[in-house]
Amino acid sequence: MDAPNPILITVINMVIVFAVLYVLGLLIKFIHYIDPTKSKSKKPVKVGKVITKKPKPVSSYNYIFNGLRLP
């Protein structure tokens, strides 16, 4: 008896894996659809002002080939 074709086995396994992933994706979408903990209000949330600092200028002679700072 000949051994089964390894490419056929690989294709069958890939079909099974992607079918399981598709079903899990549908299950996740269904759970998100019926989620009882999801808030019903659509009010926008206020966000505070973002404070950023300007970076210090960098001299090119302070760096070596890979960008590490010299002592």
Side-chain angles (χ1 to χ4, degrees):
M1 182 171 176
D2 292 329
N5 188 356
I7 296 195
L8 180 63
I9 292 173
T10 303
V11 169
I12 292 171
N13 284 336
M14 292 298 288
V15 167
I16 292 171
V17 165
F18 283 109
V20 168
L21 288 174
Y22 181 74
V23 169
L24 287 174
L26 290 177
L27 180 64
I28 290 172
K29 286 184 181 183
F30 179 70
I31 290 172
H32 283 226
Y33 179 73
I34 64 168
D35 186 12
T37 61
K38 184 172 34 173
S39 65
K40 303 295 181 189
S41 66
K42 298 289 183 181
K43 295 179 182 177
V45 178
K46 285 191 174 183
V47 179
K49 185 177 178 182
V50 177
I51 301 172
T52 58
K53 294 182 181 178
K54 292 184 179 179
K56 294 179 183 177
V58 179
S59 301
S60 60
Y61 65 87
N62 285 338
Y63 287 83
I64 57 176
F65 297 112
N66 60 356
L68 297 175
R69 184 177 289 259
L70 291 173

